[in-house]
Amino acid sequence: MTAPLGATVTRDGVNFSVFSRKATAVEILFFDREDDAKPTDVIRIDPVTNRTYHYWHVFVPGIRAGQIYGYRFHGPFDPAAGMRFDPEKVLLDPYGRGVVVPKGYNRDAARGHGDSAATAMKSVVVDPTAYDWEGDMPLRRPSTQTIVYEMHVKGFTRNPNSGVGDKTRGTYRGLTEKIPYLQELGITAVELLPVFQFDAQDCPPGVVNYWGYQPVSFFAPHQAYSSCQDPLGPVDEFRDMVKALHRAGIEVILDVVFNHTTEGDLNGPTLCLRGVDNSAYYILEEDRSHYADYTGCGNTLNSNHPIVRRMIVDSLRYWVEVMHVDGFRFDLASILTRDSSGNMMANPPVLWDIESDPHLAGTKIIAEAWDAAGLYQVGSFVGDSWREWNGRFRDDVRSFLRGDDGYVRCFADRLLGSIEIYGHKGREAEQSINFITCHDGFTLNDLVSYNQKHNEANDDSNRDGADDNRSGNCGIEGATDDPEIEKLRNRQVKNFLTVTLMSLGLPMITMGDEVRRTQHGNNNAYCHDDESTWLDWSLLNKHSDVHRFVQLIIRRRLMRDVGPEQRRMTLAQWLDAGIKGWHGVKLNQPDWNTSSHSIALSVQVPSENLLVYFIFNAYWEPLDFEIPPLDQGGSWRRWIDTYLDSPQDIVAWETAPAVPSHTYRTGPRSVVVLWANL
């Protein structure tokens, strides 16, 4: 049968189905082990009786889950016509649910001439129903109660000081063992860097692809992240992790890469799609021997081609329905707005397919709304349900807190959900994903410790990575024992965390920022799988004050009253209900001049009978701010003052001490949050 695509397990065997328009012959190869050079059996699909339209399909009796297999596709090798069939190459099933990787896997063997069977990745037959979810379902947590923690599965527990056993360090199971840490921190969702099977060898010689943004399969969990290395181990261990996270109340969001694959440019390897139907799956240049590259990775997936659109939606459905994930962050999502010629489409079919699919309703979908070819769509990404990584929040908050001139107005707008960007859409405030750091760029510690990137270890003469970091080293480049500089850096870290977690929008923090993880100034550490990128758990003691600071802010944010009415409020409604006024050092006299480095904001929260007063002083001298008068008998209470040493920098909300004066002295480069009952 032609559908469903991939390998479908039945009681009597397995049905295989794959799409290819131009192939002249298709073979399925079965292997006993992943590193076998010869298949144990080969089935040639009959092009007359077992080809329907462009679907090649065959039922093979007696096959069971766990069977290792691959494809050979025969057809023209005619790059000028966009065809690159190579029957010497064993290919992954585009819909394969599992992948095994030989110990001698060799990316180069898939580039040139010769049989790749011994060194090729191979697919695994998976029975999606053969797992006991014990009643688990995606959590569907409201966005108003969501705090995202972006993390790397391996890097989270790979360090020997993680407290995780040797066998499970750096795996899905290792992450599962550290769930109590995530619970104590208070985050409500993990956003996992790519877990689709990727090619770790897709990198310059001498280093490794650590981040995983080089996918080779859109349905299979990355095999190397599993502590169980039998063919079905990664699938079950991933599901064990999801089930455990859900029991802890934590959602699972996947960082997905549907903009390119690891097969690269015309000199890249033939691993899957290139050898199955090159011109359908990729955007080709006018000279069809070359690949269009809007991703900076050598090729661009032809995401609005009907077959590719179906594959993307089928993949998303699979991860939601079978693997129970709660959402997706789409890497370089603006690629999905391009047609087969690379032009931007006003209403890209694939985006509406994703948004309107009833199987994905309620799933969190997040766009990185730009690409590597200059398309930037923050605030204008197509669709009604897409949230966006707000790159302008990152840049403008960095500039303001660094003390740059001309950013007070932008900073104020970012605090309030980026009204100038999103106010016209009539959407909820959580359309904006507010973040200061992510995997790509400086860690939060390095943002306040380095003026320049230091990527020499990447072996590219420090040319890679962003040059516009809007960072500041607080007086000395890199690590220092100077107590005054360390105190300022600690304060700036807390300033950034306060702004991120208290602004209107959906906040995201990055793994290790809560303990000042460092990459020693490397802002493009994609190629380092070592202690320079793994979470150093000793920092939990060294920077326990920052960890505590994050815990207490998150605890208070999750205390907010977010009943059904609040969940449905648009950004404009939130602002109308709560914002009471902007201030400078004098009440109701904000300084909007380009030379201004401070601003204050009063907010009313009627549902909690509460007033909150925020003071942001990015100036290098202390400033005395007037505090709004309260009704007789009322008093302001100090919740946060980042200028103060721990534990006075933040206190438990309910124990906040009273502020006796009508003014508040705000230290240089610090943030203050006061509250009072109405």
PDB file of all heavy atoms in Angstrom, residues 318-349:
ATOM      1  N   TYR A 318       3.943  13.484  14.012  1.00  0.00           N
ATOM      2  CA  TYR A 318       4.553  12.312  14.640  1.00  0.00           C
ATOM      3  C   TYR A 318       5.128  12.671  16.009  1.00  0.00           C
ATOM      4  O   TYR A 318       4.907  11.953  17.003  1.00  0.00           O
ATOM      5  CB  TYR A 318       5.648  11.752  13.736  1.00  0.00           C
ATOM      6  CG  TYR A 318       6.396  10.582  14.331  1.00  0.00           C
ATOM      7  CD1 TYR A 318       5.835   9.308  14.342  1.00  0.00           C
ATOM      8  CD2 TYR A 318       7.664  10.748  14.883  1.00  0.00           C
ATOM      9  CE1 TYR A 318       6.515   8.226  14.890  1.00  0.00           C
ATOM     10  CE2 TYR A 318       8.356   9.669  15.434  1.00  0.00           C
ATOM     11  CZ  TYR A 318       7.772   8.417  15.433  1.00  0.00           C
ATOM     12  OH  TYR A 318       8.450   7.354  15.982  1.00  0.00           O
ATOM     13  N   TRP A 319       5.850  13.778  16.078  1.00  0.00           N
ATOM     14  CA  TRP A 319       6.480  14.149  17.346  1.00  0.00           C
ATOM     15  C   TRP A 319       5.448  14.561  18.385  1.00  0.00           C
ATOM     16  O   TRP A 319       5.663  14.388  19.594  1.00  0.00           O
ATOM     17  CB  TRP A 319       7.497  15.262  17.121  1.00  0.00           C
ATOM     18  CG  TRP A 319       8.733  14.766  16.436  1.00  0.00           C
ATOM     19  CD1 TRP A 319       9.027  14.851  15.104  1.00  0.00           C
ATOM     20  CD2 TRP A 319       9.822  14.058  17.039  1.00  0.00           C
ATOM     21  NE1 TRP A 319      10.239  14.252  14.846  1.00  0.00           N
ATOM     22  CE2 TRP A 319      10.748  13.755  16.003  1.00  0.00           C
ATOM     23  CE3 TRP A 319      10.112  13.660  18.329  1.00  0.00           C
ATOM     24  CZ2 TRP A 319      11.947  13.077  16.241  1.00  0.00           C
ATOM     25  CZ3 TRP A 319      11.295  12.985  18.585  1.00  0.00           C
ATOM     26  CH2 TRP A 319      12.204  12.701  17.541  1.00  0.00           C
ATOM     27  N   VAL A 320       4.296  15.092  17.948  1.00  0.00           N
ATOM     28  CA  VAL A 320       3.239  15.449  18.899  1.00  0.00           C
ATOM     29  C   VAL A 320       2.425  14.221  19.296  1.00  0.00           C
ATOM     30  O   VAL A 320       2.198  13.953  20.484  1.00  0.00           O
ATOM     31  CB  VAL A 320       2.320  16.534  18.300  1.00  0.00           C
ATOM     32  CG1 VAL A 320       1.068  16.731  19.165  1.00  0.00           C
ATOM     33  CG2 VAL A 320       3.069  17.849  18.173  1.00  0.00           C
ATOM     34  N   GLU A 321       1.972  13.445  18.305  1.00  0.00           N
ATOM     35  CA  GLU A 321       1.036  12.365  18.589  1.00  0.00           C
ATOM     36  C   GLU A 321       1.721  11.107  19.117  1.00  0.00           C
ATOM     37  O   GLU A 321       1.173  10.411  19.975  1.00  0.00           O
ATOM     38  CB  GLU A 321       0.249  12.022  17.321  1.00  0.00           C
ATOM     39  CG  GLU A 321      -0.651  13.163  16.853  1.00  0.00           C
ATOM     40  CD  GLU A 321      -1.449  12.809  15.622  1.00  0.00           C
ATOM     41  OE1 GLU A 321      -0.973  11.981  14.814  1.00  0.00           O
ATOM     42  OE2 GLU A 321      -2.552  13.344  15.461  1.00  0.00           O
ATOM     43  N   VAL A 322       2.903  10.801  18.605  1.00  0.00           N
ATOM     44  CA  VAL A 322       3.581   9.562  18.977  1.00  0.00           C
ATOM     45  C   VAL A 322       4.626   9.792  20.061  1.00  0.00           C
ATOM     46  O   VAL A 322       4.787   8.973  20.966  1.00  0.00           O
ATOM     47  CB  VAL A 322       4.226   8.908  17.734  1.00  0.00           C
ATOM     48  CG1 VAL A 322       5.027   7.669  18.108  1.00  0.00           C
ATOM     49  CG2 VAL A 322       3.148   8.553  16.718  1.00  0.00           C
ATOM     50  N   MET A 323       5.327  10.927  19.981  1.00  0.00           N
ATOM     51  CA  MET A 323       6.403  11.202  20.936  1.00  0.00           C
ATOM     52  C   MET A 323       5.987  12.194  22.028  1.00  0.00           C
ATOM     53  O   MET A 323       6.769  12.494  22.933  1.00  0.00           O
ATOM     54  CB  MET A 323       7.635  11.716  20.195  1.00  0.00           C
ATOM     55  CG  MET A 323       8.083  10.818  19.044  1.00  0.00           C
ATOM     56  SD  MET A 323       8.585   9.180  19.579  1.00  0.00           S
ATOM     57  CE  MET A 323      10.327   9.449  19.880  1.00  0.00           C
ATOM     58  N   HIS A 324       4.776  12.758  21.910  1.00  0.00           N
ATOM     59  CA  HIS A 324       4.144  13.568  22.956  1.00  0.00           C
ATOM     60  C   HIS A 324       4.849  14.891  23.255  1.00  0.00           C
ATOM     61  O   HIS A 324       4.722  15.400  24.385  1.00  0.00           O
ATOM     62  CB  HIS A 324       3.982  12.758  24.244  1.00  0.00           C
ATOM     63  CG  HIS A 324       2.875  11.751  24.184  1.00  0.00           C
ATOM     64  ND1 HIS A 324       2.218  11.289  25.301  1.00  0.00           N
ATOM     65  CD2 HIS A 324       2.308  11.095  23.133  1.00  0.00           C
ATOM     66  CE1 HIS A 324       1.303  10.394  24.948  1.00  0.00           C
ATOM     67  NE2 HIS A 324       1.346  10.259  23.628  1.00  0.00           N
ATOM     68  N   VAL A 325       5.566  15.470  22.311  1.00  0.00           N
ATOM     69  CA  VAL A 325       6.191  16.767  22.591  1.00  0.00           C
ATOM     70  C   VAL A 325       5.132  17.863  22.560  1.00  0.00           C
ATOM     71  O   VAL A 325       4.048  17.709  21.994  1.00  0.00           O
ATOM     72  CB  VAL A 325       7.350  17.072  21.617  1.00  0.00           C
ATOM     73  CG1 VAL A 325       8.377  15.957  21.610  1.00  0.00           C
ATOM     74  CG2 VAL A 325       6.838  17.349  20.215  1.00  0.00           C
ATOM     75  N   ASP A 326       5.470  18.994  23.161  1.00  0.00           N
ATOM     76  CA  ASP A 326       4.497  20.062  23.386  1.00  0.00           C
ATOM     77  C   ASP A 326       4.637  21.242  22.435  1.00  0.00           C
ATOM     78  O   ASP A 326       3.746  22.094  22.390  1.00  0.00           O
ATOM     79  CB  ASP A 326       4.646  20.585  24.819  1.00  0.00           C
ATOM     80  CG  ASP A 326       4.474  19.478  25.843  1.00  0.00           C
ATOM     81  OD1 ASP A 326       3.335  19.234  26.258  1.00  0.00           O
ATOM     82  OD2 ASP A 326       5.482  18.845  26.207  1.00  0.00           O
ATOM     83  N   GLY A 327       5.745  21.321  21.711  1.00  0.00           N
ATOM     84  CA  GLY A 327       5.918  22.476  20.836  1.00  0.00           C
ATOM     85  C   GLY A 327       7.207  22.403  20.054  1.00  0.00           C
ATOM     86  O   GLY A 327       8.031  21.496  20.237  1.00  0.00           O
ATOM     87  N   PHE A 328       7.384  23.409  19.190  1.00  0.00           N
ATOM     88  CA  PHE A 328       8.532  23.446  18.294  1.00  0.00           C
ATOM     89  C   PHE A 328       9.032  24.878  18.140  1.00  0.00           C
ATOM     90  O   PHE A 328       8.241  25.818  18.037  1.00  0.00           O
ATOM     91  CB  PHE A 328       8.152  22.912  16.900  1.00  0.00           C
ATOM     92  CG  PHE A 328       7.535  21.545  16.920  1.00  0.00           C
ATOM     93  CD1 PHE A 328       6.153  21.388  16.951  1.00  0.00           C
ATOM     94  CD2 PHE A 328       8.327  20.406  16.940  1.00  0.00           C
ATOM     95  CE1 PHE A 328       5.564  20.134  16.994  1.00  0.00           C
ATOM     96  CE2 PHE A 328       7.754  19.142  16.980  1.00  0.00           C
ATOM     97  CZ  PHE A 328       6.372  19.009  17.000  1.00  0.00           C
ATOM     98  N   ARG A 329      10.329  25.015  18.106  1.00  0.00           N
ATOM     99  CA  ARG A 329      10.971  26.274  17.724  1.00  0.00           C
ATOM    100  C   ARG A 329      11.623  26.017  16.372  1.00  0.00           C
ATOM    101  O   ARG A 329      12.460  25.129  16.226  1.00  0.00           O
ATOM    102  CB  ARG A 329      11.998  26.697  18.772  1.00  0.00           C
ATOM    103  CG  ARG A 329      12.786  27.961  18.423  1.00  0.00           C
ATOM    104  CD  ARG A 329      14.111  27.606  17.777  1.00  0.00           C
ATOM    105  NE  ARG A 329      14.979  28.756  17.568  1.00  0.00           N
ATOM    106  CZ  ARG A 329      16.118  28.734  16.882  1.00  0.00           C
ATOM    107  NH1 ARG A 329      16.539  27.598  16.328  1.00  0.00           N
ATOM    108  NH2 ARG A 329      16.843  29.798  16.738  1.00  0.00           N
ATOM    109  N   PHE A 330      11.240  26.788  15.340  1.00  0.00           N
ATOM    110  CA  PHE A 330      11.681  26.545  13.974  1.00  0.00           C
ATOM    111  C   PHE A 330      12.922  27.380  13.664  1.00  0.00           C
ATOM    112  O   PHE A 330      12.862  28.612  13.580  1.00  0.00           O
ATOM    113  CB  PHE A 330      10.558  26.880  12.984  1.00  0.00           C
ATOM    114  CG  PHE A 330       9.404  25.916  13.039  1.00  0.00           C
ATOM    115  CD1 PHE A 330       8.493  25.950  14.089  1.00  0.00           C
ATOM    116  CD2 PHE A 330       9.232  24.967  12.052  1.00  0.00           C
ATOM    117  CE1 PHE A 330       7.432  25.058  14.155  1.00  0.00           C
ATOM    118  CE2 PHE A 330       8.171  24.064  12.095  1.00  0.00           C
ATOM    119  CZ  PHE A 330       7.275  24.109  13.150  1.00  0.00           C
ATOM    120  N   ASP A 331      14.038  26.695  13.497  1.00  0.00           N
ATOM    121  CA  ASP A 331      15.301  27.345  13.167  1.00  0.00           C
ATOM    122  C   ASP A 331      15.192  28.023  11.798  1.00  0.00           C
ATOM    123  O   ASP A 331      14.691  27.431  10.835  1.00  0.00           O
ATOM    124  CB  ASP A 331      16.407  26.285  13.150  1.00  0.00           C
ATOM    125  CG  ASP A 331      17.758  26.841  12.760  1.00  0.00           C
ATOM    126  OD1 ASP A 331      18.289  27.673  13.513  1.00  0.00           O
ATOM    127  OD2 ASP A 331      18.276  26.428  11.704  1.00  0.00           O
ATOM    128  N   LEU A 332      15.673  29.276  11.718  1.00  0.00           N
ATOM    129  CA  LEU A 332      15.636  30.038  10.458  1.00  0.00           C
ATOM    130  C   LEU A 332      14.286  29.881   9.773  1.00  0.00           C
ATOM    131  O   LEU A 332      14.185  29.536   8.587  1.00  0.00           O
ATOM    132  CB  LEU A 332      16.759  29.597   9.526  1.00  0.00           C
ATOM    133  CG  LEU A 332      18.194  29.824  10.020  1.00  0.00           C
ATOM    134  CD1 LEU A 332      19.199  29.390   8.952  1.00  0.00           C
ATOM    135  CD2 LEU A 332      18.453  31.275  10.410  1.00  0.00           C
ATOM    136  N   ALA A 333      13.229  30.176  10.505  1.00  0.00           N
ATOM    137  CA  ALA A 333      11.878  29.905  10.012  1.00  0.00           C
ATOM    138  C   ALA A 333      11.511  30.714   8.781  1.00  0.00           C
ATOM    139  O   ALA A 333      10.612  30.325   8.027  1.00  0.00           O
ATOM    140  CB  ALA A 333      10.860  30.183  11.122  1.00  0.00           C
ATOM    141  N   SER A 334      12.182  31.834   8.532  1.00  0.00           N
ATOM    142  CA  SER A 334      11.853  32.632   7.348  1.00  0.00           C
ATOM    143  C   SER A 334      12.111  31.878   6.056  1.00  0.00           C
ATOM    144  O   SER A 334      11.546  32.208   5.012  1.00  0.00           O
ATOM    145  CB  SER A 334      12.636  33.952   7.364  1.00  0.00           C
ATOM    146  OG  SER A 334      12.158  34.792   8.401  1.00  0.00           O
ATOM    147  N   ILE A 335      12.971  30.845   6.121  1.00  0.00           N
ATOM    148  CA  ILE A 335      13.178  29.984   4.948  1.00  0.00           C
ATOM    149  C   ILE A 335      11.849  29.396   4.492  1.00  0.00           C
ATOM    150  O   ILE A 335      11.617  29.195   3.284  1.00  0.00           O
ATOM    151  CB  ILE A 335      14.158  28.844   5.291  1.00  0.00           C
ATOM    152  CG1 ILE A 335      15.563  29.383   5.566  1.00  0.00           C
ATOM    153  CG2 ILE A 335      14.189  27.790   4.196  1.00  0.00           C
ATOM    154  CD1 ILE A 335      16.277  29.930   4.364  1.00  0.00           C
ATOM    155  N   LEU A 336      10.957  29.114   5.444  1.00  0.00           N
ATOM    156  CA  LEU A 336       9.690  28.472   5.110  1.00  0.00           C
ATOM    157  C   LEU A 336       8.751  29.394   4.348  1.00  0.00           C
ATOM    158  O   LEU A 336       7.701  28.953   3.883  1.00  0.00           O
ATOM    159  CB  LEU A 336       9.008  27.969   6.381  1.00  0.00           C
ATOM    160  CG  LEU A 336       9.811  27.007   7.256  1.00  0.00           C
ATOM    161  CD1 LEU A 336       8.998  26.567   8.467  1.00  0.00           C
ATOM    162  CD2 LEU A 336      10.270  25.796   6.465  1.00  0.00           C
ATOM    163  N   THR A 337       9.117  30.663   4.204  1.00  0.00           N
ATOM    164  CA  THR A 337       8.298  31.586   3.416  1.00  0.00           C
ATOM    165  C   THR A 337       8.775  31.693   1.975  1.00  0.00           C
ATOM    166  O   THR A 337       8.176  32.416   1.185  1.00  0.00           O
ATOM    167  CB  THR A 337       8.303  32.994   4.041  1.00  0.00           C
ATOM    168  OG1 THR A 337       9.599  33.598   3.872  1.00  0.00           O
ATOM    169  CG2 THR A 337       7.958  32.949   5.520  1.00  0.00           C
ATOM    170  N   ARG A 338       9.831  30.975   1.607  1.00  0.00           N
ATOM    171  CA  ARG A 338      10.387  31.082   0.254  1.00  0.00           C
ATOM    172  C   ARG A 338       9.796  30.015  -0.667  1.00  0.00           C
ATOM    173  O   ARG A 338       9.559  28.876  -0.258  1.00  0.00           O
ATOM    174  CB  ARG A 338      11.913  30.952   0.297  1.00  0.00           C
ATOM    175  CG  ARG A 338      12.619  32.104   1.029  1.00  0.00           C
ATOM    176  CD  ARG A 338      14.127  31.978   0.905  1.00  0.00           C
ATOM    177  NE  ARG A 338      14.834  33.003   1.644  1.00  0.00           N
ATOM    178  CZ  ARG A 338      15.181  34.200   1.159  1.00  0.00           C
ATOM    179  NH1 ARG A 338      14.869  34.506  -0.087  1.00  0.00           N
ATOM    180  NH2 ARG A 338      15.841  35.064   1.906  1.00  0.00           N
ATOM    181  N   ASP A 339       9.588  30.398  -1.940  1.00  0.00           N
ATOM    182  CA  ASP A 339       9.089  29.445  -2.925  1.00  0.00           C
ATOM    183  C   ASP A 339      10.255  28.703  -3.564  1.00  0.00           C
ATOM    184  O   ASP A 339      11.419  28.861  -3.159  1.00  0.00           O
ATOM    185  CB  ASP A 339       8.210  30.137  -3.976  1.00  0.00           C
ATOM    186  CG  ASP A 339       8.965  31.174  -4.818  1.00  0.00           C
ATOM    187  OD1 ASP A 339      10.222  31.140  -4.859  1.00  0.00           O
ATOM    188  OD2 ASP A 339       8.293  32.013  -5.451  1.00  0.00           O
ATOM    189  N   SER A 340       9.969  27.905  -4.598  1.00  0.00           N
ATOM    190  CA  SER A 340      10.996  27.071  -5.213  1.00  0.00           C
ATOM    191  C   SER A 340      12.046  27.871  -5.956  1.00  0.00           C
ATOM    192  O   SER A 340      13.083  27.323  -6.337  1.00  0.00           O
ATOM    193  CB  SER A 340      10.358  26.052  -6.161  1.00  0.00           C
ATOM    194  OG  SER A 340       9.627  26.717  -7.173  1.00  0.00           O
ATOM    195  N   SER A 341      11.785  29.182  -6.156  1.00  0.00           N
ATOM    196  CA  SER A 341      12.782  30.065  -6.765  1.00  0.00           C
ATOM    197  C   SER A 341      13.499  30.906  -5.719  1.00  0.00           C
ATOM    198  O   SER A 341      14.343  31.736  -6.058  1.00  0.00           O
ATOM    199  CB  SER A 341      12.116  30.976  -7.801  1.00  0.00           C
ATOM    200  OG  SER A 341      11.540  30.220  -8.842  1.00  0.00           O
ATOM    201  N   GLY A 342      13.128  30.735  -4.468  1.00  0.00           N
ATOM    202  CA  GLY A 342      13.758  31.485  -3.393  1.00  0.00           C
ATOM    203  C   GLY A 342      13.091  32.798  -3.075  1.00  0.00           C
ATOM    204  O   GLY A 342      13.549  33.526  -2.190  1.00  0.00           O
ATOM    205  N   ASN A 343      11.995  33.123  -3.765  1.00  0.00           N
ATOM    206  CA  ASN A 343      11.296  34.381  -3.523  1.00  0.00           C
ATOM    207  C   ASN A 343      10.363  34.257  -2.320  1.00  0.00           C
ATOM    208  O   ASN A 343       9.781  33.200  -2.072  1.00  0.00           O
ATOM    209  CB  ASN A 343      10.486  34.781  -4.760  1.00  0.00           C
ATOM    210  CG  ASN A 343      11.370  34.982  -5.973  1.00  0.00           C
ATOM    211  OD1 ASN A 343      12.404  35.641  -5.901  1.00  0.00           O
ATOM    212  ND2 ASN A 343      10.971  34.406  -7.103  1.00  0.00           N
ATOM    213  N   MET A 344      10.195  35.372  -1.603  1.00  0.00           N
ATOM    214  CA  MET A 344       9.318  35.371  -0.441  1.00  0.00           C
ATOM    215  C   MET A 344       7.865  35.334  -0.877  1.00  0.00           C
ATOM    216  O   MET A 344       7.455  36.065  -1.776  1.00  0.00           O
ATOM    217  CB  MET A 344       9.580  36.601   0.422  1.00  0.00           C
ATOM    218  CG  MET A 344       8.851  36.570   1.764  1.00  0.00           C
ATOM    219  SD  MET A 344       9.181  38.026   2.778  1.00  0.00           S
ATOM    220  CE  MET A 344       8.212  39.260   1.901  1.00  0.00           C
ATOM    221  N   MET A 345       7.077  34.483  -0.219  1.00  0.00           N
ATOM    222  CA  MET A 345       5.662  34.337  -0.525  1.00  0.00           C
ATOM    223  C   MET A 345       4.830  35.076   0.520  1.00  0.00           C
ATOM    224  O   MET A 345       5.151  35.074   1.713  1.00  0.00           O
ATOM    225  CB  MET A 345       5.276  32.859  -0.551  1.00  0.00           C
ATOM    226  CG  MET A 345       6.152  31.997  -1.437  1.00  0.00           C
ATOM    227  SD  MET A 345       5.831  30.224  -1.248  1.00  0.00           S
ATOM    228  CE  MET A 345       4.266  30.082  -2.105  1.00  0.00           C
ATOM    229  N   ALA A 346       3.738  35.697   0.065  1.00  0.00           N
ATOM    230  CA  ALA A 346       2.878  36.433   0.994  1.00  0.00           C
ATOM    231  C   ALA A 346       2.151  35.483   1.942  1.00  0.00           C
ATOM    232  O   ALA A 346       1.972  35.783   3.130  1.00  0.00           O
ATOM    233  CB  ALA A 346       1.867  37.272   0.212  1.00  0.00           C
ATOM    234  N   ASN A 347       1.723  34.325   1.448  1.00  0.00           N
ATOM    235  CA  ASN A 347       1.010  33.343   2.256  1.00  0.00           C
ATOM    236  C   ASN A 347       1.597  31.957   2.004  1.00  0.00           C
ATOM    237  O   ASN A 347       1.024  31.161   1.258  1.00  0.00           O
ATOM    238  CB  ASN A 347      -0.487  33.356   1.926  1.00  0.00           C
ATOM    239  CG  ASN A 347      -1.182  34.571   2.495  1.00  0.00           C
ATOM    240  OD1 ASN A 347      -1.339  34.707   3.704  1.00  0.00           O
ATOM    241  ND2 ASN A 347      -1.595  35.473   1.605  1.00  0.00           N
ATOM    242  N   PRO A 348       2.733  31.659   2.597  1.00  0.00           N
ATOM    243  CA  PRO A 348       3.410  30.392   2.330  1.00  0.00           C
ATOM    244  C   PRO A 348       2.542  29.201   2.737  1.00  0.00           C
ATOM    245  O   PRO A 348       2.101  29.118   3.891  1.00  0.00           O
ATOM    246  CB  PRO A 348       4.670  30.469   3.201  1.00  0.00           C
ATOM    247  CG  PRO A 348       4.825  31.922   3.546  1.00  0.00           C
ATOM    248  CD  PRO A 348       3.453  32.484   3.586  1.00  0.00           C
ATOM    249  N   PRO A 349       2.282  28.288   1.818  1.00  0.00           N
ATOM    250  CA  PRO A 349       1.391  27.156   2.143  1.00  0.00           C
ATOM    251  C   PRO A 349       1.857  26.346   3.344  1.00  0.00           C
ATOM    252  O   PRO A 349       1.033  25.932   4.164  1.00  0.00           O
ATOM    253  CB  PRO A 349       1.417  26.316   0.859  1.00  0.00           C
ATOM    254  CG  PRO A 349       1.742  27.293  -0.226  1.00  0.00           C
ATOM    255  CD  PRO A 349       2.674  28.293   0.397  1.00  0.00           C
TER     256      PRO A 349
END
